[in-house]
């Protein structure tokens, strides 16, 4: 069973472009609902009415492996997990503190980790909204799947958004629940739900029933809904379009696409394995009778552990050995290695790593995953910088509060410093310190460079403060040594 074979069961809505169907399929596969289009559960072998055998390809797998999501979680953890979130560096310490407060207040670690997950299909869209009472605006950051969104780019600045449109269909019954006036006849009809973000407005449109004219042209929602429209006057679209490498400007390459067929194969193999184990617990009974079948024979077989057969009768169980189960497990284990390797996941088997490993050893063992995360650092590091820049640019022109305090800076100049992939162990820190000491003794490294090199592994918050402490310690030691030195001049006089 291949991804394309199941994908053909999904009907394309002619009112949407082909990219919408593609993103819908990839999102369903990522979220685990991809097999819902199959009509029968895996354990159902025949149809209820005609007792016709149901091929496996028409059944929904009973078991689902999460290999793709495991890789996505590992990548997100390497980018924005505890100890991996990049540090903000700037000459303005107050600005660094304000950005740190914003990251914490907006829960950017969680939002950006979610962005990695949602953008794994190729793209996602991140929104930065400023909500609150007049004079007390708070930046709110969220991320959405890009399935129903369409970006438009500024012609003079090709990488600048000029508009983002969200457009999809909802049922009339859902609109009635939201308070819209919908007739009884239209409760099951489709309506357009449309929202548009421009440089100065967020426009919600009044839903209209989906209709097509005689020439096949579909209508659109065109009348703004005052209740869902806001004039934000930001001078920019409050959104950041996230595109992964490997595709066009709108949609990048799906991270887990190379492993989808292998994952589907594993799902069916494990489902068959579960089916076989259930059968071994209750195998098929074969009964041969020499004579007429008693009227209550079926009741006896189904409801009693004691079966009495007439003279010449015989009963057997069609049992299976466990060899096939072991073969399936070995095959699935092989499939996992192939799938994880195809999407640059970690090849490490947690059950085989029983002793602590140094940071350098973990980098070598996890080299494919490290390389994947390194490529994504450029993408999501740029997203983080765009988000911070947007918030503090807006704070120049209107009151923006972070952690209840107003913030504002004339200039915004900062950079990201990414930490090591894995925290150093005591052995790693010792080796680093010995290397720096040797370089200092040979006068190949300045004291400032030495402190900068050791700042991260030894959790030094400020290099400048550490240099001042070192200088103070040197001065104090020199002063104590001077006080303890004998007064040779006085001894010669005596």
């Amino acid at each position: 069973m291949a991804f394309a074979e199941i994908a053909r069961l999904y009907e394309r809505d002619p009112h949407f472009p082909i990219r919408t169907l593609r993103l819908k399929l990839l999102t369903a596969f990522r979220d685990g609902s991809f097999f819902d289009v199959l009509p029968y559960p895996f354990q159902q072998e025949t149809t209820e009415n005609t007792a016709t055998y149901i091929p496996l390809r028409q059944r929904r797998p009973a078991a689902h492996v999460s290999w793709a999501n495991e890789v996505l979680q590992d990548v997100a953890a390497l980018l924005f997990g505890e100890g991996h979130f990049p540090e903000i560096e700037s000459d303005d310490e107050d600005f660094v503190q304000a950005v740190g407060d914003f990251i914490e207040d907006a829960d950017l670690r969680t939002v950006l980790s979610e962005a990695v997950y949602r953008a794994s299909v190729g793209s996602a869209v991140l929104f930065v909204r400023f909500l609150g009472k007049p004079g007390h605006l708070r930046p709110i950051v969220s991320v959405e799947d890009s399935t129903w969104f369409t970006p438009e780019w500024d012609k003079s600045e090709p990488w600048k958004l000029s508009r983002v449109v969200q457009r999809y269909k909802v049922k009339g019954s859902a609109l009635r629940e939201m308070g819209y006036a919908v007739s009884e006849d239209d409760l099951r009809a489709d309506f357009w739900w449309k929202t548009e973000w421009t440089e100065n407005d967020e426009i919600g449109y009044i839903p209209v029933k989906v209709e097509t004219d005689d020439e096949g042209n579909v209508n659109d929602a065109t009348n703004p809904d005052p209740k869902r429209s806001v004039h934000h006057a930001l001078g920019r679209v409050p959104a950041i379009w996230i595109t992964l490498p490997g595709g066009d400007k709108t949609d990048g390459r799906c991270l887990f696409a190379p492993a989808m067929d292998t994952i589907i194969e594993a799902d069916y193999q494990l489902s068959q394995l579960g089916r076989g184990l259930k059968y071994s617990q209750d195998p098929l009974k074969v009964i041969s009778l020499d004579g007429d079948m008693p009227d209550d024979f079926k009741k006896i077989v189904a409801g009693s552990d004691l079966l009495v057969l007439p003279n010449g009768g015989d009963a057997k169980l069609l049992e299976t050995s466990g060899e096939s189960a072991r073969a399936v497990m070995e095959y699935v284990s092989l499939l996992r290695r192939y799938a994880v390797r195809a999407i640059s996941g970690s090849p490490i088997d947690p059950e085989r790593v029983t002793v602590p490993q140094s940071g350098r050893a973990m980098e070598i063992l996890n080299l494919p995953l490290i390389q994947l995360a390194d490529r994504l650092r450029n993408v999501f590091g740029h997203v983080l910088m765009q988000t911070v820049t947007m918030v503090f640019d807006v704070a120049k022109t209107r009151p923006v509060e972070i952690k209840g305090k107003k913030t504002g800076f004339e200039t915004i100049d900062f950079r990201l410093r990414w930490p090591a992939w894995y925290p150093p162990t005591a052995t790693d820190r010792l080796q680093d310190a010995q290397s720096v000491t040797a370089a200092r003794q040979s006068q190949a490294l300045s004291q400032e460079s030495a402190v900068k090199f050791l700042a991260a592994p030894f959790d030094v918050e400020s290099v400048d403060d550490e240099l001042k402490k070192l200088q103070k310690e040197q001065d104090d030691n020199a002063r104590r040594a001077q006080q303890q030195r004998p007064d040779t001049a006085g001894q010669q006089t005596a």
Side-chain angles (χ1 to χ4, degrees):
M1 180 69 73
F3 174 84
E5 188 174 353
I6 301 176
R8 281 195 292 268
L9 300 176
Y10 283 81
E11 294 183 5
R12 179 191 172 187
D13 191 326
H15 298 151
F16 294 98
I18 190 65
R19 70 173 286 267
T20 300
L21 176 61
R22 172 183 171 273
L23 292 173
K24 182 179 178 181
L25 292 172
L26 294 175
T27 302
F29 188 91
R30 181 198 66 195
D31 296 343
S33 59
F34 179 66
F35 297 105
D36 291 351
V37 70
L38 298 175
Y40 303 103
F42 196 83
Q43 302 300 331
Q44 184 175 346
E45 299 184 1
T46 60
T47 58
E48 296 179 357
N49 297 330
T50 61
T52 304
Y53 177 75
I54 302 172
L56 292 181
R57 64 178 179 274
Q58 296 181 11
R59 307 186 207 171
R60 298 185 297 274
H64 301 284
V65 298
S66 57
W67 301 336
N69 286 343
E70 288 175 10
V71 174
L72 296 179
Q73 291 171 3
D74 290 343
V75 170
L78 283 177
L79 292 174
F80 302 114
E82 184 67 29
H84 291 91
F85 199 90
E87 295 184 11
I88 303 296
E89 291 186 341
S90 175
D91 296 334
D92 189 339
E93 293 295 332
D94 292 334
F95 177 73
V96 172
Q97 180 63 44
V99 174
D101 290 341
F102 165 60
I103 290 172
E104 183 178 349
D105 194 44
D107 197 14
L108 271 192
R109 290 177 174 83
T110 302
V111 173
L112 291 175
S113 296
E114 180 73 9
V116 175
Y117 176 79
R118 293 190 178 276
S120 62
V121 299
S123 61
V125 57
L126 183 141
F127 286 97
V128 182
R129 296 181 175 92
F130 296 86
L131 305 177
K133 298 179 181 179
H136 301 276
L137 299 178
R138 178 188 174 192
I140 305 297
V141 185
S142 61
V143 64
E144 302 284 346
D145 290 324
S146 60
T147 306
W148 308 110
F149 291 88
T150 303
E152 291 186 11
W153 310 94
D154 193 315
K155 294 181 180 179
S156 60
E157 300 181 52
W159 294 102
K160 178 184 176 182
L161 283 173
S162 62
R163 188 172 74 141
V164 173
V165 179
Q166 181 192 39
R167 184 169 174 264
Y168 59 95
K169 296 177 181 178
V170 296
K171 293 296 183 182
S173 57
L175 291 177
R176 175 180 280 190
E177 292 178 359
M178 289 187 284
Y180 288 92
V182 179
S183 65
E184 292 290 335
D185 296 336
D186 290 335
L187 290 180
R188 303 184 64 180
D190 288 326
F191 286 76
W192 286 121
W193 182 269
K194 181 181 175 182
T195 309
E196 178 181 352
W197 289 265
T198 67
E199 293 182 349
N200 292 302
D201 296 280
E202 178 178 337
I203 307 170
Y205 291 89
I206 297 175
V208 295
K209 187 177 178 180
V210 178
E211 295 177 338
T212 305
D213 60 22
D214 296 338
E215 298 179 358
N217 299 316
V218 66
N219 65 332
D220 195 9
T222 56
N223 295 323
D225 186 348
K227 296 181 180 179
R228 293 177 46 229
S229 299
V230 177
H231 180 65
H232 55 72
L234 295 177
R236 69 187 72 203
V237 179
I240 298 170
W241 193 267
I242 306 172
T243 306
L244 296 189
D248 56 29
K249 188 163 60 173
T250 301
D251 298 308
R253 181 174 57 192
C254 176
L255 290 180
F256 52 83
M260 291 191 299
D261 287 346
T262 307
I263 291 173
I264 292 174
E265 172 71 8
D267 286 347
Y268 275 95
Q269 288 294 334
L270 289 175
S271 298
Q272 276 285 68
L273 176 61
R275 180 170 169 241
L277 292 176
K278 292 182 180 68
Y279 174 85
S280 65
Q281 296 170 350
D282 185 19
L284 184 65
K285 304 173 182 66
V286 178
I287 301 174
S288 300
L289 296 177
D290 184 6
D292 297 334
M293 180 182 297
D295 295 336
D296 59 350
F297 180 74
K298 291 184 177 180
K299 180 179 179 181
I300 294 173
V301 172
S304 173
D305 292 334
L306 180 63
L307 177 62
V308 180
L309 298 176
N311 293 334
D314 187 19
K316 298 178 181 178
L317 295 175
L318 293 184
E319 298 178 292
T320 61
S321 67
E323 292 299 323
S324 61
R326 282 189 289 271
V328 169
M329 294 304 298
E330 293 176 0
Y331 179 50
V332 170
S333 179
L334 181 64
L335 290 176
R336 186 188 190 282
R337 290 200 296 271
Y338 285 155
V340 171
R341 184 183 304 170
I343 55 179
S344 300
S346 172
I348 298 177
D349 185 350
E351 296 181 359
R352 296 185 179 182
V353 180
T354 56
V355 295
Q357 302 289 325
S358 69
R360 181 56 182 163
M362 290 298 295
E363 288 186 20
I364 295 174
L365 291 173
N366 270 334
L367 184 59
L369 183 64
I370 295 294
Q371 291 174 334
L372 173 61
D374 189 52
R375 293 195 298 271
L376 295 181
R377 268 185 174 180
N378 294 330
V379 176
F380 291 97
H382 186 58
V383 171
L384 173 59
M385 296 186 73
Q386 284 183 294
T387 305
V388 171
T389 301
M390 183 183 299
V391 169
F392 286 90
D393 271 348
V394 171
K396 293 179 181 179
T397 60
R398 62 195 64 199
V400 175
E401 292 187 352
I402 297 175
K403 284 192 171 181
K405 299 180 295 184
K406 285 187 171 59
T407 184
F409 295 88
E410 292 298 324
T411 59
I412 302 174
D413 183 16
F414 68 101
R415 56 200 171 274
L416 301 181
R417 180 161 67 91
W418 294 90
W421 293 112
Y422 292 97
T425 61
T427 302
D428 293 330
R429 290 194 293 270
L430 176 61
Q431 292 175 349
D432 288 341
Q434 290 173 342
S435 299
V436 169
T437 300
R440 288 282 295 133
Q441 291 175 349
S442 63
Q443 297 183 349
L445 192 69
S446 68
Q447 187 175 35
E448 182 178 355
S449 298
V451 173
K452 286 182 178 179
F453 181 82
L454 296 175
F458 285 88
D459 197 21
V460 176
E461 294 184 359
S462 173
V463 173
D464 292 338
D465 291 345
E466 193 68 20
L467 288 172
K468 292 177 182 178
K469 292 178 182 178
L470 287 173
Q471 185 62 47
K472 184 177 183 302
E473 288 181 0
Q474 291 174 3
D475 295 342
D476 292 343
N477 291 336
R479 190 179 303 108
R480 282 194 294 268
Q482 182 68 30
Q483 293 173 352
Q484 295 174 1
R485 185 182 304 169
D487 189 354
T488 54
Q491 291 177 357
Q492 289 176 357
T493 302

